[in-house]
Amino acid sequence: MKPDDPLLRILACPLDKGPLHLVVPDVSEDEEEPPESLYNPRLHRRYPIVDGIPQLLPASGEQVSDDEHEELLKRMAP
């Protein structure tokens, strides 16, 4: 999924119905590329994107720690 994908404008968090933000992978030369995800910074929940398909069931989301939250905010696509 690309940051300018029109689908991002209509996707919403299944819990608070607010907008989600695309988290772009932070790749370094030695690491495997982490998967893309959609992030709700209000609830600190991350939803995976599997094979280009956002997994937006409430059970698919995972709660992130405060440290992860800070890192995800840096990696959110503009």
Side-chain angles (χ1 to χ4, degrees), residues 7-78:
L7 184 61
L8 285 173
R9 291 188 209 138
I10 61 171
L11 290 178
C13 175
L15 299 176
D16 74 356
K17 310 300 186 241
L20 295 168
H21 302 275
L22 180 65
V23 175
V24 293
D26 181 23
V27 279
S28 69
E29 295 175 15
D30 297 335
E31 294 180 21
E32 183 177 319
E33 183 173 325
E36 287 183 315
S37 60
L38 293 171
Y39 186 58
N40 179 340
R42 299 168 306 284
L43 299 179
H44 293 215
R45 290 191 64 83
R46 175 176 42 206
Y47 297 92
I49 298 174
V50 179
D51 295 327
I53 301 170
Q55 307 297 305
L56 295 178
L57 294 173
S60 298
E62 69 172 330
Q63 197 72 29
V64 300
S65 68
D66 289 338
D67 292 337
E68 279 184 288
H69 170 73
E70 292 302 320
E71 182 62 32
L72 289 170
L73 289 178
K74 295 176 193 172
R75 293 179 22 212
M76 285 180 4

